[in-house]
Structures are given as structure tokens and as C-alpha cells.
Amino acid sequence: MQNFIFDNKTRIIFGKDYEQVVGQESVVFGKKLLLHYGGGSIKNSGLYDTVVNSLQEHGIEIYELGGVKPNPRVSLVREGVSLCKEHNIDFILAVGGGSVIDSAKAIAAGATYDGDVWDFFTGKSEVSTSLPIGVVLTIPAAGSESSAGTVITNEDGLYKRATGHLSLRPQFAILNPVLSYTLPAYQTACGITDMMAHILERYFTTEKNVELTDRLCEATLRTIISNAHTVLNEPTNYNARAEIMWSGTIAHNDLLNTGRIGDWASHDIEHEISGIYDIAHGAGLAIIFPAWMKYVYKHDINRFAQFANRVWDVEIDLNDLEKTALAGIKKMEQFFSSIGMPITLTEVEIGDEHFAEMAKKATERGTLGNFIKLQESDVYQIYQLAR
Ligand code: NZQ
Ligand code: ZN
């Protein structure tokens, strides 16, 4: 097991009606707040009014910036940075999903920086401080509510890039499973896939002697799998929504990463797809993760056989571990299909026209992944396997 420091400062406020305490939680960080949100969903559900009332009750002055799109764009981030600088904003409140939270994080970093915020995503500069942010989560998926990362798309060149810093971890995250009742089935399934991918990125490690975190990963995956169809069939089932919401946070708050080094190649390979084609990140992962697995499983068949057995109940064939490993990958694909996810690029009408460009862009800052290091030609072949 690797040495580690586990430090996740995000205060999790979990359960029914907790969005009503957002004013009380926010006022601790100052009286001038940027309220950041996406399209119409929080207005349609009434959450916007609840949040605004709570903030006003605590004497907070609200500046608003809505309109965050899925795969959030740097142009809106720049607008947010200008607003924060112009009005000396103290605190940013993100109400929404990963896209809104990531946009809020990028604004928070840009607001304390003299250069262009995109510098943080090209490696030209590193985040060292940021404004504090808080979250009211509406979709369990990205795990951004307690992660230190943010992923932003630059419309100029369609680059989707990530950056991170400990200061970007939200101060608090309000998680009320009831707020996820209004999610369309497709978004629910994309979220389920993304949180599973966050666990898989950590699970496929070359680190030995990580039994506890292996078992925690497997337990979280099994919890997600066993509640997935329930939330899709009964969108207002509180207990199932609660299991999924908490799993989404656990999947990405770095607990499951302790003592081990994750892979993350599939995320980088996927980001090229959602960057260019603007598909949902979770759907892209349902396509890329199985392809990555088929490309790398021979590197550690035992680990893939363990995954098949402990997560998907595939019986271990000691005479043919490869068969066991492949059966696990197959079961995972079948599961993604069963929740309405695409598992091939063809299903989302993506051809091979940008494979070479995507493989080049994905590896322009070096090899991808840690399970095995992938070069440009490997990434190209993974796109081929995903057809
Ligand atoms: O914009 P609104 O109207 O709010 O609609 C959203 C959006 O269209 C809708 N939605 C959200 N909550 C809803 C709802 N609709 C009805 N009822 C609700 N309760 O869902 C759509 C998708 O929202 P989005 O925020 O894009 O989803 P998600 O949370 O999956 O975030 C995806 C983004 O997060 C990034 C992804 O790359 C992608 O850009 N990621 C961020 C990570 C991080 N910062 O740690 C890690 C992840 O791996 C991921 O890369
Ligand atoms: Zn993800």
C-alpha cells in the first residue's frame, strides 16, 4: 500500500429538506454571493426559489449567473470571473450538477488570478488559491461536490481539459436525494455510469496489498448496481435515490483512492469525445470503459477475474482466468445497455473521422493512464475497439 494523506474538507449535509439551510451555511463565508446554475431545471423544480429565499433570510446579497451548459464552457467561466472581480464576491454557490459545480470552481480559481483562467487548463499556470464555494447537488454523477477537480471545455479548438487544487474542494455540499427525483432517466443512467467509472479508474491499479480499498470499491459498485434499476423504474423511491446519491460522492471523494494509484486513461480518452461531440460524459464512459478493458485486461488477468467474480458474480474458472475476466467485461456491458446507455460509438452516430485527431490531442501532454501507459497509437486502437 502506498503512503497517503486523506483530507477531504467538504462538509456533507445529506437528507430531506436540507436545501433550506443553504443561507445559514453560506453566510459564514461572506455576504456577497455568486449564485451559479444551469438551464431551466432548478427553476422548474422550485429549488431556485427555496435557495434564494434562504440566502435572503440571511441577508446575503446575490449576484446571479445562470446558463451553464453540460460540458461547461470557458466563455461563461470568464464572465463569472469578471463578475466576481467587479463586485468583490466572497463566495460562489453552485446549484446543479457536475457542469455547474465545475464552472463554479473554475470561476473561483480565476477570480483570484490576474491572467486568463484557461491558463490553469493548459498547464501554463497552476491554481494556488480560490474563492470558497458551496454546492446544492441536483444530480448524483460527477462527484464534483467533494472533489478537488474541475473539467472545462474551450470552444476555441474544442479542448476539454481538467485541472485541480485542494482549495477547489467545496466547503459544503447539500445532498437531498429528493432533488434528483426530477432527473430524466437518461441523465440518471449517465450519472450511474460516471460514478461507476470513478470507482473503476481507482480499482484498476498496479498496487498490491490494497484489500480494504478493493473491497470498498466492490461494495460501492454493488450498491450502485443493485439500486440502478429501482431508481429508473421508480424515480421517487427515496431509499434507492439516497443509496445512489451517497455512492456518487463516495466514488469520487478520494477515500477509495487511499493507498493506491488510479488509472484515469478512460476519462482522458472520453473527454476528447464529449469535447468534440458534446455527448454526456457518462454515455461516453459507457462506450470507452469496456473498450479500454478489452485492450488492457491481459496486463493483470487476476485483477480482472477478481472484478468479474466479486462485482458481477461470475464464477471463477481456475483453468481459464481469461474466460472469467472477459465474462466480467461482458456483464458490465450488458448492465450499461440495460440502463439505456450506448456501448459503442456507432450507437451515438460517431464515426472514425476524428479518431486520429482525438488520439493525438489526448496524448499531447504525455502518455495516458497508470495501469499501463498508453501512447497515441494505443488510444487510437481503443477508439477502434469502441466502434
Ligand atoms: O442545466 P440544467 O437545466 O440544470 O439541466 C441539467 C443538465 O441538462 C440536468 N439536470 C441536473 N439536475 C437535474 C437535471 N434535470 C432535471 N432534474 C434535476 N434534478 O442534467 C443535465 C446534465 O447536468 P450535468 O451537470 O452536465 O451532469 P453531470 O453531473 O453528469 O456533470 C457532467 C460534467 O462533469 C464533468 C464531466 O466531464 C461533465 O462535463 N466531470 C467532473 C468531474 C469533477 N469535477 O470531479 C469528474 C467527472 O469525471 C467528470 O469529468
Ligand atoms: Zn467522470
Side-chain angles (χ1 to χ4, degrees), residues 39-41 97-99 102 138 144 147 149 160 179 182 198 252 267 271 281:
S41 79
S99 296
D102 283 3
T138 61
S144 187
S147 82
K160 186 172 181 179
L179 298 178
T182 51
H198 295 159
H252 203 41
H267 264 70
H271 284 161
H281 168 65

Side-chain angles (χ1 to χ4, degrees), residues 205-221:
T205 180
T206 54
E207 196 59 41
K208 304 293 174 202
N209 306 311
V210 281
E211 185 177 350
L212 175 65
T213 41
D214 269 5
R215 300 264 185 200
L216 290 171
C217 286
E218 290 153 3
T220 316
L221 284 167

Side-chain angles (χ1 to χ4, degrees), residues 119-180:
D119 292 350
F120 297 132
F121 296 86
T122 58
K124 187 173 166 195
S125 186
E126 282 183 9
V127 180
S128 55
T129 59
S130 57
L131 291 181
I133 80 160
V135 171
V136 180
L137 187 69
T138 61
I139 167 171
S144 187
E145 66 275 12
S146 72
S147 82
T150 162
V151 190
I152 299 293
T153 298
N154 192 332
E155 302 93 316
D156 184 7
L158 294 177
Y159 284 93
K160 186 172 181 179
R161 292 288 176 264
T163 192
H165 186 254
L166 291 181
S167 69
L168 293 175
R169 268 196 218 284
Q171 300 291 332
F172 66 80
I174 297 178
L175 276 60
N176 175 358
V178 174
L179 298 178
S180 64

Side-chain angles (χ1 to χ4, degrees), residues 57 60 78 92 110 179-180 186 229 328 332 355 367:
E57 274 168 20
I60 294 172
R78 290 190 179 117
I92 304 176
L179 298 178
S180 64
Y186 186 74
H229 288 107
M332 190 183 80
F355 284 4
T367 56

Side-chain angles (χ1 to χ4, degrees), residues 34 36 65 74-87 89 92 103 106-108 110-111 131:
L34 181 71
H36 202 37
L65 183 62
V74 73
S75 51
L76 192 73
V77 169
R78 290 190 179 117
E79 259 184 65
V81 169
S82 302
L83 264 174
C84 287
K85 287 182 175 170
E86 187 186 339
H87 299 288
I89 301 278
I92 304 176
S103 184
I107 294 171
L131 291 181

Side-chain angles (χ1 to χ4, degrees), residues 58-364:
H58 287 81
I60 294 172
E61 194 179 337
I62 304 170
Y63 294 82
E64 266 193 47
L65 183 62
V68 179
K69 294 193 176 127
N71 301 316
R73 316 299 148 96
V74 73
S75 51
L76 192 73
V77 169
R78 290 190 179 117
E79 259 184 65
V81 169
S82 302
L83 264 174
C84 287
K85 287 182 175 170
E86 187 186 339
H87 299 288
N88 285 319
I89 301 278
D90 301 312
F91 185 66
I92 304 176
L93 180 67
V95 184
S99 296
V100 174
I101 304 166
D102 283 3
S103 184
K105 287 176 175 175
I107 294 171
T112 60
Y113 177 62
D114 283 337
D116 176 23
V117 66
W118 189 247
D119 292 350
F120 297 132
F121 296 86
T122 58
K124 187 173 166 195
S125 186
E126 282 183 9
V127 180
S128 55
T129 59
S130 57
L131 291 181
I133 80 160
V135 171
V136 180
L137 187 69
T138 61
I139 167 171
S144 187
E145 66 275 12
S146 72
S147 82
T150 162
V151 190
I152 299 293
T153 298
N154 192 332
E155 302 93 316
D156 184 7
L158 294 177
Y159 284 93
K160 186 172 181 179
R161 292 288 176 264
T163 192
H165 186 254
L166 291 181
S167 69
L168 293 175
R169 268 196 218 284
Q171 300 291 332
F172 66 80
I174 297 178
L175 276 60
N176 175 358
V178 174
L179 298 178
S180 64
Y181 286 0
T182 51
L183 276 171
Y186 186 74
Q187 287 299 340
T188 299
C190 286
I192 285 169
T193 309
D194 190 20
M195 62 183 77
M196 288 176 70
H198 295 159
I199 304 169
L200 298 174
E201 296 280 19
R202 293 168 165 101
Y203 191 77
F204 289 101
T205 180
T206 54
E207 196 59 41
K208 304 293 174 202
N209 306 311
V210 281
E211 185 177 350
L212 175 65
T213 41
D214 269 5
R215 300 264 185 200
L216 290 171
C217 286
E218 290 153 3
T220 316
L221 284 167
R222 291 189 70 103
T223 304
I224 297 165
I225 293 161
S226 76
N227 284 282
H229 288 107
T230 313
V231 290
L232 290 169
N233 294 331
E234 305 163 37
T236 58
N237 183 317
Y238 181 82
N239 290 325
R241 285 284 191 191
E243 297 289 352
I244 293 288
M245 192 169 248
W246 189 217
S247 296
T249 303
I250 294 290
H252 203 41
N253 74 352
D254 286 336
L255 172 67
L256 304 184
N257 220 33
T258 47
R260 56 203 289 145
I261 294 173
D263 184 67
W264 298 99
S266 298
H267 264 70
D268 289 332
I269 296 170
E270 190 295 310
H271 284 161
E272 296 306 324
I273 298 177
S274 48
I276 290 185
Y277 294 97
D278 205 18
I279 66 168
H281 168 65
L285 287 166
I287 297 166
I288 291 301
F289 232 111
W292 174 86
M293 287 178 162
K294 287 173 202 165
Y295 194 74
V296 306
Y297 75 92
K298 288 189 178 147
H299 188 70
D300 187 350
I301 291 198
N302 286 336
R303 178 155 285 278
F304 273 90
Q306 175 183 303
F307 169 70
N309 175 255
R310 293 195 194 161
V311 177
W312 300 105
D313 295 327
V314 176
E315 210 175 309
I316 293 205
D317 184 343
L318 285 172
N319 297 318
D320 195 348
L321 280 183
E322 182 167 11
K323 193 171 123 203
T324 311
L326 289 171
I329 299 171
K330 186 87 212 150
K331 285 244 183 179
M332 190 183 80
E333 283 186 314
Q334 285 167 345
F335 172 78
F336 287 154
S337 291
S338 77
I339 61 170
M341 285 288 96
I343 54 166
T344 61
L345 288 170
T346 310
E347 285 172 71
V348 288
E349 296 175 352
I350 293 178
D352 61 5
E353 58 279 358
H354 291 299
F355 284 4
E357 176 196 342
M358 294 193 298
K360 188 168 191 302
K361 275 165 91 178
T363 51
E364 67 189 11

